Amino acid sequence: MESKRIATLTLDDGRSIELPIMSGTLGPDVIDIRALGKLGVFTYDPAFFSTSSCTSEITFIDGDAGLLYYRGYPIEQLAEKSDFLEVCYLLLNGELPTAEQKAQFNYKITHHTMVHDQLARFFNGFRRDAHPMAVMVGVVGALSAFYHDSLDINDPQHRAVSAQRLLAKVPTIAAMTHKYSVGEPFIYPKNKFGFVENLMYMMFATPAEEYVPNPILVRALERILILHADHEQNASTSTVRLAGSSGANPFACIASGIAALWGPAHGGANEAALKMLEEIGDVSRVAEYVQGVKDKKYKLMGFGHRVYKNMDPRASVMRQTCHEVLSELKLENNKLFELAMVLEKTALSDPYFIERKLYPNVDFYSGIVLRALGIPSNMFTVIFAVARTIGWVSQWNEMIADSEYKIGRPRQLYRGAVRRDFVPVAKR
Ligand code: SDX
């Protein structure tokens, strides 16, 4: 019988409590502080630097070693050998699909990519120059107004139907968001295409001429979607879990994840990193720009990570993809890519970044690849949201399936006014 491991917390007034230590299959142990309330004290960890919010079997990150596993499979192997829908099946169900399971899953997703035609009317409420992420939050949230036939979230079959609808329809909405912003007609999905081909077709085809997706660009975008599919309890996933913990409609929960992803500290960093490279403009300005970072005038976008204190393994794959796409497209002398590599080299040899363990993250190179694929920078985070939808849905599903889940409700350290009586305005 394994001996129960405990941590003893002793307060300065001598009172103490024994707290169980829990271990996972991988990663650091955690101290179960649920009983701490008995001492009448809470913990304080506002940005969750040292707090785990759940148990999960989906994704594992080792920030010091720079490891990322989806259901135990290293991201480098999945990015090279798998495809996005297969990774979606893996994240959602826990195992790689058999050939038959894969065919069935792909058929289901492919045949649910159309959206209710009434949904197209929501776009007209937005200005054409609205940021596509603002439109995504609104229109994906609006899906919750369309599906009343399978919303018993405690029914696994209903959760599976909602998951399938979100995975299939978010790319269609993403492409419609792009078309709306450039003033072109919406392009309906075509079932003859694969998932990523369809996304590119719906974004770039026009009624005026045939569009045949370029297989090299499709493969590059497929790899980008795989790299962005899930990342354990990041800000947007934690938002989806907290929204879902109240029993909210799954489409509304995913809309809350899209809203959280938009921030430049999170999924908005890919757009911000490309803007930064364009602002630097030339390798001759790298040293001056880096000095501005060190003077804390601004952050180096696409650098740093709450968990990775080593190279983000996705950034390494993204750098390689960047190189392949640019050489395939004969954009070898791409100034931005050269600039990014000089910036990376400069930062990684500077004590300021070394001391703070700041390395490139997934967003540092993704913007260059996305732009080379012809995707406008205001759509970069939308593409991230298309990829992360499977992560959000899988994490939401895992939480709801856990019979022990309860509504999330953090406590606070109150530092406001003590009790006082109302003063009539004449006496203020
Ligand atoms: C994603 O959580 C996830 O998993 C997210 C994600 C996912 O897949 O879901 O991986 C996707 O969001 C990647 C991160 C994308 N964001 C950016 O690239 C924006 C730039 N990065 C920073 O904003 C920052 O690094 C964060 C937000 C990513 C992490 O910040 P932390 O963990 O809160 O760290 P911190 O701000 O406390 O920084 C520690 C020190 C500070 O310096 P000192 O006060 O000690 O002197 O490092 C500095 C920071 O100023 N620092 C940076 C920096 N990031 C941190 N300095 C310059 N440039 C940066 N990018």
Side-chain angles (χ1 to χ4, degrees):
M1 177 71 174
E2 197 181 321
S3 63
K4 279 173 76 73
R5 296 172 56 210
I6 54 139
T8 304
L9 179 71
T10 304
L11 299 184
D12 52 3
D13 60 9
R15 288 179 303 141
S16 69
I17 187 168
E18 290 190 343
L19 300 168
I21 296 174
M22 299 164 71
S23 298
T25 42
L26 292 171
D29 293 339
V30 298
I31 300 172
D32 181 347
I33 57 165
R34 283 176 286 185
L36 201 51
K38 289 176 188 161
L39 281 186
V41 291
F42 300 124
T43 57
Y44 180 69
D45 186 13
F48 309 114
F49 273 84
S50 307
T51 298
S52 54
S53 59
C54 62
T55 57
S56 180
E57 301 175 5
I58 299 173
T59 293
F60 174 71
I61 299 172
D62 181 327
D64 293 327
L67 303 178
L68 169 56
Y69 300 157
Y70 290 167
R71 300 284 189 179
Y73 294 98
I75 191 67
E76 297 84 355
Q77 293 183 23
L78 292 170
E80 188 194 334
K81 298 172 183 168
S82 188
D83 62 67
F84 182 64
L85 276 189
E86 185 173 72
V87 166
C88 290
Y89 184 98
L90 170 68
L91 288 169
L92 199 54
N93 299 296
E95 298 296 336
L96 288 168
T98 61
E100 188 190 344
Q101 289 167 333
K102 183 174 173 132
Q104 280 175 4
F105 187 73
N106 289 4
Y107 181 89
K108 271 186 192 165
I109 300 306
T110 301
H111 290 78
H112 286 83
T113 48
M114 286 183 67
V115 294
H116 193 294
D117 231 31
Q118 199 77 9
L119 199 82
R121 308 229 176 135
F122 282 100
F123 287 82
N124 295 331
F126 293 96
R127 287 172 41 139
R128 291 280 181 175
D129 63 353
H131 194 290
M133 282 298 279
V135 181
M136 284 290 286
V137 171
V139 179
V140 171
L143 285 175
S144 49
F146 283 81
Y147 300 112
H148 301 284
D149 62 334
S150 55
L151 284 179
D152 173 5
I153 59 169
N154 297 307
D155 177 339
Q157 184 47 31
H158 282 201
R159 292 202 302 275
V161 169
S162 295
Q164 180 183 297
R165 281 173 166 155
L166 280 157
L167 186 51
K169 298 178 194 302
V170 165
T172 305
I173 295 170
M176 292 168 81
T177 300
H178 170 60
K179 284 305 196 187
Y180 186 75
S181 74
V182 296
E184 291 179 4
F186 296 144
I187 298 293
Y188 285 89
K190 271 203 186 308
N191 292 349
K192 68 177 183 182
F193 286 132
F195 183 93
V196 179
E197 282 178 317
N198 228 344
L199 175 59
M200 294 187 83
Y201 170 72
M202 293 185 287
M203 282 186 70
F204 299 125
T206 66
E209 57 187 57
E210 272 307 298
Y211 173 86
V212 178
N214 172 328
I216 288 101
L217 305 190
V218 168
R219 185 63 200 143
L221 185 52
E222 181 120 52
R223 199 178 290 177
I224 289 175
L225 296 181
I226 291 171
L227 293 176
H228 287 79
D230 192 49
H231 214 236
E232 55 141 273
Q233 307 312 317
N234 57 83
S236 54
T237 300
S238 300
T239 301
V240 171
R241 278 182 173 258
L242 197 53
S245 73
S246 73
N249 173 295
F251 301 97
C253 293
I254 298 307
S256 73
I258 294 172
L261 185 74
W262 191 4
H266 189 16
N270 49 23
E271 181 179 358
L274 191 82
K275 279 193 179 127
M276 172 187 74
L277 291 171
E278 288 170 335
E279 186 190 326
I280 296 172
D282 188 87
V283 290
S284 60
R285 291 201 57 237
V286 164
E288 173 201 346
Y289 192 86
V290 166
Q291 188 53 51
V293 173
K294 292 159 69 173
D295 296 342
K296 294 194 183 273
K297 287 179 185 164
Y298 36 73
K299 290 237 161 78
L300 196 59
M301 300 313 282
F303 255 72
H305 199 277
R306 175 62 55 77
V307 178
Y308 290 123
K309 301 308 173 190
N310 196 321
M311 194 72 177
D312 178 340
R314 301 169 299 176
S316 310
V317 178
M318 194 61 74
R319 188 200 298 122
Q320 179 55 32
T321 305
C322 218
H323 180 69
E324 287 165 10
V325 169
L326 295 173
S327 50
E328 289 290 345
L329 296 177
K330 310 272 184 288
L331 295 172
E332 199 52 35
N333 63 342
N334 182 287
K335 270 190 74 178
L336 287 182
F337 183 50
E338 285 162 11
L339 183 56
M341 289 200 293
V342 169
L343 187 52
E344 176 187 338
K345 192 158 176 277
T346 306
L348 295 186
S349 58
D350 186 308
Y352 181 90
F353 298 88
I354 295 168
E355 285 155 15
R356 292 166 176 78
K357 297 188 177 182
L358 300 177
Y359 290 86
N361 59 52
V362 67
D363 295 303
F364 188 62
Y365 286 101
S366 56
I368 302 172
V369 185
L370 290 168
R371 196 166 96 144
L373 299 181
I375 296 169
S377 60
N378 68 0
M379 283 291 292
F380 288 0
T381 311
V382 172
I383 298 297
F384 195 150
V386 168
R388 189 52 58 87
T389 293
I390 186 57
W392 292 328
V393 165
S394 302
Q395 299 269 353
W396 166 79
N397 184 55
E398 180 180 65
M399 174 184 72
I400 303 291
D402 176 351
S403 55
E404 281 193 0
Y405 96 89
K406 293 183 181 305
I407 188 168
R409 205 292 186 198
R411 306 307 293 264
Q412 64 171 13
L413 175 63
Y414 178 71
R415 284 195 160 154
V418 296
R419 188 194 181 286
R420 52 185 173 166
D421 293 324
F422 183 79
V423 177
V425 67
K427 294 189 173 173
R428 288 176 206 156

